[in-house]
C-alpha cells in the first residue's frame, strides 16, 4: 500500500518549501519531494534560490562590495588600507557556508512542521483513487499518493544556441557563482538582473567585464529615468555595457572563449575572454516530471498552464513559482505557495501581482514596485511625478553614498500611488514602505504626512512623496 498524503509538493525551492510549511500549518499531512544534491550527493533544500540563485549571489555581492570599499571607498573616510589581498577560496567557502545554513534551516523547518521529505525526482504516474500517484526516484524508488499535488519545479538557465553550458568556460548562474580564480577578462551575454549582479561581483574583484545586450535600451522593464541614472553609475564603475548587439559564433577552447558579435552600428567585432556567463533569461522546468502521464497542460513556453489562482487544467493539481507565468522571483513563488495551501484549505488565498517588488542588488541598488512612467504614458493615464535625490539626504551624505533618487508616480486626481522607483543606497530595504503603502492603496500625501526618522535614507522616500505635490523641504 503506497503512503498517502493530503498534499504532495514536487520541488523544494522557495515556492515549494513555503507551500509545504503553510499546508502543514493548516493541518494537512504533507510530503515534499526535491531532487537537489549538495556536493556530497545529499539533499539541499531551497532550490535555485538557496543553492545557485538569490542567496549565494547576495553572499558574493556582499563580499565583493567589502573588497571594493576596502580598496577604494575607505580612503575618503580617512582609513588607509595597505596590503589588501583577495582570498577567493575563502570567499567562495563563506558563500557555500551561507548556502548550507539556509539548506539546514529548511530541513529544520520541515522537521518542526512534521513534513515528510523525500530526496529524489518526483514524477506523475497516473490519476489514482484518492488523488494522484507520484513516483519518487532517489536512492530507492517508491510510489506515494497525494490528494492534492503542488508542482513547484522551478526553472533552468536558458542557453544560447550553439553555446551549451560547460560550466568551465561557458557558465550559467551555477558556474558564475564558483569561478575559482578571478578571470582577467569576463563577458556576460544579457544585461538583465543576473548580468548586472554577476558582472558587478567579478568587476569588483578585478575582472575587466563586458556585457553584451541584444536590446537597444538598458533595463527596458525599469522606469527610464531610474535606468538612465543606474547606467551612468555602472559606466563610471567601468562596467562596459554594449547595447543593441547581435551575438554570432561563440568558440570555446583551452585559452578561453571567443565571441563574434555585431555592435549597434552594425560593425563586426570579436571579444576574447577567459570566461563567458550567459544570462539571457530562464526557462520553466518540467524535465522528468512526466506531465503527459496525467495530461497536465503546458503552454508554448513550456510553463505549466495555470489560472490566476494557480489551478492547472487538472482537478487538485496546482502549480506555482518559476514553472508558471509571471515574474521569476523567489518572493512571488512564496506568495503563490502560501495562497495555494490556503485555497486547498478552503480559504481565500491572496496574491497581488501589482505590488510584487523587484530589486537588483547592484551598487547602487535598483528597486521598484508598480507601474513605470513609460507604462502610465502608454496607458494614457493622468499622473503626477515627484523625485528626490539622495544627494540632498543627510544620511546618504554621511554614508558617502549619494548616487540615485527616489521617484513617486501618483494618480493626477486621486493621488493614489501608482508606482515607486528607486536607485541608490539600500533601496532593497526602502522599497518595502512603498509596497505596504500600495497594498493599502495609500496616496502620496499619506507617505508625506508620516514621520520618518532623521537622519535616515527613508526620508528620501517621504521627500519624494512631498515632491509629488511640489513641496520638498530639503531640495
Ligand atoms: P526553484 O527555486 O527553481 O526550485 C525548484 C526545485 O525543484 C529545485 O530544487 C529542483 O531541483 C526541484 N525539482 C525540479 N524538478 C523536480 C522533480 N521532478 N522532482 C523533484 N524535485 C524537482 N529571485 C529573487 O526574488 N531575488 C533574488 O535576489 C534572486 N536572485 C537570483 C539570482 C540568480 C543567480 C538566479 C538564477 C535566480 C535568482 N532569483 C532571485 C530567482 C529565484 O531564484 C527564483 O525565482 C526562485 O528560485 C523560484 O522558486 P521556485 O520554488 O519556483 O523554483
Ligand atoms: P533577464 O530576463 O533579467 O535578462 C536577460 C537579458 O538578456 C535581457 O536584457 C534580454 O534582452 C537579454 N538577451 C536575451 N537574449 C539575448 C541574446 N541572444 N543576446 C544578448 N542579449 C540577450 O534574465 P537573467 O538575467 O538571465 O535572469 C533570469 C531571471 O532570474 C530574472 O528575470 C529574474 O526573474 C531572476 N533573477 C532575479 C534576481 C533578483 O531579483 N535580484 C537576480 C537574478 C535573477
Amino acid at each position: 500500500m503506497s503512503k498517502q498524503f493530503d498534499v504532495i509538493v514536487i520541488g523544494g525551492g522557495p515556492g515549494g518549501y513555503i507551500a509545504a510549511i503553510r499546508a502543514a500549518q493548516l493541518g494537512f499531512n504533507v510530503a515534499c519531494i526535491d531532487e537537489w544534491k549538495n556536493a556530497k550527493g545529499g539533499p539541499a533544500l531551497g532550490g535555485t534560490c538557496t543553492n545557485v540563485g538569490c542567496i549565494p549571489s547576495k553572499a558574493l555581492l556582499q563580499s565583493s562590495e567589502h573588497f571594493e570599499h576596502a580598496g577604494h571607498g575607505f580612503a575618503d573616510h580617512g582609513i588607509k588600507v595597505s596590503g589588501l589581498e583577495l582570498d577567493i577560496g575563502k570567499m567562495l567557502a563563506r558563500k557555500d557556508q551561507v548556502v548550507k545554513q539556509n539548506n539546514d534551516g529548511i530541513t529544520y523547518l520541515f522537521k518542526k512542521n512534521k513534513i515528510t521529505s523525500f530526496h529524489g525526482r518526483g514524477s506523475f504516474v497516473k490519476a489514482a483513487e484518492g488523488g494522484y500517484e507520484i513516483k519518487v526516484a532517489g536512492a530507492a524508488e517508491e510510489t506515494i499518493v497525494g490528494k492534492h499535488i503542488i508542482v513547484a519545479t522551478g526553472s533552468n538557465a536558458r542557453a544560447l544556441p550553439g553555446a551549451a553550458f560547460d560550466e568551465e568556460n561557458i557558465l550559467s548562474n551555477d558556474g558564475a557563482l564558483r569561478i575559482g580564480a578571478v578571470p582577467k577578462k569576463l563577458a556576460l551575454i544579457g544585461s538583465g538582473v543576473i548580468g548586472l549582479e554577476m558582472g558587478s561581483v567579478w568587476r569588483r574583484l578585478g575582472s575587466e567585464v563586458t556585457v553584451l545586450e541584444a536590446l537597444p535600451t538598458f533595463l527596458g522593464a525599469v522606469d527610464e529615468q531610474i535606468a538612465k541614472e543606474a547606467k551612468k553609475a555602472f559606466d563610471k564603475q567601468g562596467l562596459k555595457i554594449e547595447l543593441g548587439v547581435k551575438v554570432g559564433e561563440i568558440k570555446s577552447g583551452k585559452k578561453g572563449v571567443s565571441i563574434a558579435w555585431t555592435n549597434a552600428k552594425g560593425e563586426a567585432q570579436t571579444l576574447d575572454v577567459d570566461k563567458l556567463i550567459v544570462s539571457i533569461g530562464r526557462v520553466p522546468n518540467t524535465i522528468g516530471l512526466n506531465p503527459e502521464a496525467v495530461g497536465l497542460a503546458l503552454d508554448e513556453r513550456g510553463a505549466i498552464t495555470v489560472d490566476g489562482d494557480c489551478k492547472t487544467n487538472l482537478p487538485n493539481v496546482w502549480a506555482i513559482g518559476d514553472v508558471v507565468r509571471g515574474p521569476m522571483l523567489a518572493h512571488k513563488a512564496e506568495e503563490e505557495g502560501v495562497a495555494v495551501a490556503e485555497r486547498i484549505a478552503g480559504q481565500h488565498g491572496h496574491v497581488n501581482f501589482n505590488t510584487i517588488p523587484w530589486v537588483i542588488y547592484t551598487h547602487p541598488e535598483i528597486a521598484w514596485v508598480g507601474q513605470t512612467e513609460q507604462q502610465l504614458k502608454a496607458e494614457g493615464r493622468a499622473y503626477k511625478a515627484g523625485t528626490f535625490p539622495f544627494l540632498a539626504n543627510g544620511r546618504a551624505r554621511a554614508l558617502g553614498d549619494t548616487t540615485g533618487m527616489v521617484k513617486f508616480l501618483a494618480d493626477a486626481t486621486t493621488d493614489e500611488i501608482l508606482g515607486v522607483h528607486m536607485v541608490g543606497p539600500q533601496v532593497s530595504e526602502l522599497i518595502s514602505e512603498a509596497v505596504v503603502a500600495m497594498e493599502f492603496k495609500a496616496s502620496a500625501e499619506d507617505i508625506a504626512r508620516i514621520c520618518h526618522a532623521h537622519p535616515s535614507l527613508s526620508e528620501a522616500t517621504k521627500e519624494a512623496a512631498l515632491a509629488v505635490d511640489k513641496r520638498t523641504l530639503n531640495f
Side-chain angles (χ1 to χ4, degrees):
M1 175 78 178
S2 307
K3 286 180 198 146
Q4 304 264 339
F5 294 91
D6 300 324
V7 179
I8 296 176
V9 184
I10 307 178
Y17 90 75
I18 288 291
I21 290 173
R22 185 70 189 118
Q25 283 176 346
L26 289 161
F28 294 113
N29 175 19
V30 182
C32 180
I33 310 167
D34 188 81
E35 65 177 344
W36 205 288
K37 289 191 178 113
N38 63 23
K40 292 180 185 154
L45 287 167
T48 303
C49 172
T50 303
N51 292 295
V52 291
C54 326
I55 299 298
S57 61
K58 267 80 249 176
L60 287 186
L61 278 155
Q62 190 61 53
S63 299
S64 61
E65 199 171 339
H66 283 324
F67 182 67
E68 183 156 83
H69 280 318
H72 305 289
F74 285 177
D76 278 352
H77 293 258
I79 304 166
K80 290 184 186 166
V81 179
S82 58
L84 185 68
E85 273 182 59
L86 181 64
D87 182 345
I88 189 83
K90 184 155 187 191
M91 195 178 279
L92 294 180
R94 175 190 175 273
K95 178 248 329 172
D96 292 342
Q97 187 55 27
V98 173
V99 167
K100 188 174 177 308
Q101 285 165 353
N102 283 274
N103 296 141
D104 293 349
I106 302 167
T107 305
Y108 161 79
L109 290 171
F110 273 16
K111 285 202 182 110
K112 181 182 157 196
N113 287 284
K114 300 189 174 49
I115 294 162
T116 308
S117 191
F118 291 92
H119 188 215
R121 174 167 285 182
S123 57
F124 283 100
V125 179
K126 61 180 182 194
E129 201 176 322
Y132 295 86
E133 249 183 55
I134 305 291
K135 183 170 85 181
V136 185
E141 204 171 285
E142 65 181 301
T143 302
I144 58 179
V145 174
K147 186 169 176 211
H148 286 267
I149 310 295
I150 304 176
V151 182
T153 46
S155 63
N156 291 318
R158 186 151 75 90
L160 268 174
F165 295 120
D166 57 22
E167 304 298 1
E168 268 303 315
N169 281 352
I170 304 179
L171 314 173
S172 70
N173 56 294
D174 184 2
L177 289 159
R178 48 185 173 84
I179 303 175
V182 178
K184 200 165 168 310
K185 290 187 173 187
L186 172 72
L188 293 103
I189 300 185
S191 74
V193 198
I194 295 179
L196 294 174
E197 290 187 357
M198 287 295 103
S200 294
V201 165
W202 294 104
R203 183 203 57 75
R204 290 171 192 166
L205 298 179
S207 294
E208 190 183 320
V209 177
T210 308
V211 189
L212 301 176
E213 166 61 45
L215 293 179
T217 43
F218 179 62
L219 285 179
V222 175
D223 185 272
E224 269 170 23
Q225 196 178 359
I226 298 293
K228 220 169 134 191
E229 191 74 10
K231 176 79 167 40
K232 261 200 295 188
F234 298 143
D235 288 346
K236 214 164 136 195
Q237 290 164 8
L239 195 64
K240 205 166 165 212
I241 302 167
E242 297 280 352
L243 299 172
V245 315
K246 199 167 177 327
V247 174
E249 196 185 359
I250 296 177
K251 288 188 209 147
S252 174
K254 279 203 180 103
K255 285 192 177 157
V257 187
S258 180
I259 306 154
W261 60 287
T262 312
N263 68 15
K265 292 182 200 147
E267 295 158 345
Q269 310 279 330
T270 307
L271 180 64
D272 293 315
V273 291
D274 303 297
K275 305 270 179 199
L276 165 67
I277 299 171
V278 177
S279 47
I280 56 166
R282 298 180 61 83
V283 285
N285 170 37
T286 54
I287 298 168
L289 181 67
N290 202 17
E292 312 80 33
V294 286
L296 180 64
L298 309 186
D299 69 15
E300 62 292 345
R301 290 183 318 121
I304 296 176
T305 311
V306 287
D307 66 8
D309 285 348
C310 293
K311 281 185 182 144
T312 68
N313 64 316
L314 301 175
N316 297 346
V317 178
W318 312 74
I320 59 172
D322 280 12
V323 77
V324 304
R325 53 52 205 132
M328 289 185 168
L329 294 173
H331 42 284
K332 175 263 192 184
E334 292 180 15
E335 290 298 297
E336 287 182 333
V338 168
V340 163
E342 292 177 353
R343 285 173 195 137
I344 291 172
Q347 298 181 4
H348 180 59
H350 160 92
V351 182
N352 184 353
F353 281 90
N354 294 324
T355 54
I356 294 175
W358 275 85
V359 176
I360 307 179
Y361 294 82
T362 43
H363 188 219
E365 292 184 338
I366 303 165
W368 72 97
V369 58
Q371 288 175 287
T372 61
E373 193 163 356
Q374 60 267 28
Q375 281 173 330
L376 294 176
K377 276 187 184 147
E379 255 180 34
R381 179 107 183 227
Y383 67 92
K384 298 177 286 183
T387 58
F388 187 82
F390 281 107
L391 199 62
N393 173 272
R395 184 75 196 283
R397 287 191 195 127
L399 288 170
D401 205 352
T402 52
T403 305
M405 69 175 88
V406 176
K407 173 172 179 175
F408 265 68
L409 297 167
D411 185 273
T413 314
T414 65
D415 198 36
E416 182 184 343
I417 303 167
L418 302 174
V420 179
H421 306 271
M422 304 178 169
V423 53
Q426 296 170 35
V427 297
S428 55
E429 301 297 336
L430 297 188
I431 199 67
S432 289
E433 181 181 5
V435 176
V436 173
M438 286 185 63
E439 193 63 48
F440 283 91
K441 297 216 169 290
S443 63
E445 189 187 351
D446 288 328
I447 298 294
R449 282 179 180 275
I450 292 172
C451 181
H452 289 66
H454 176 76
S456 72
L457 296 170
S458 70
E459 287 173 291
T461 307
K462 177 186 171 106
E463 290 273 8
L466 281 165
V468 169
D469 199 29
K470 297 194 174 38
R471 54 187 186 98
T472 52
L473 297 164
N474 283 287
F475 188 61

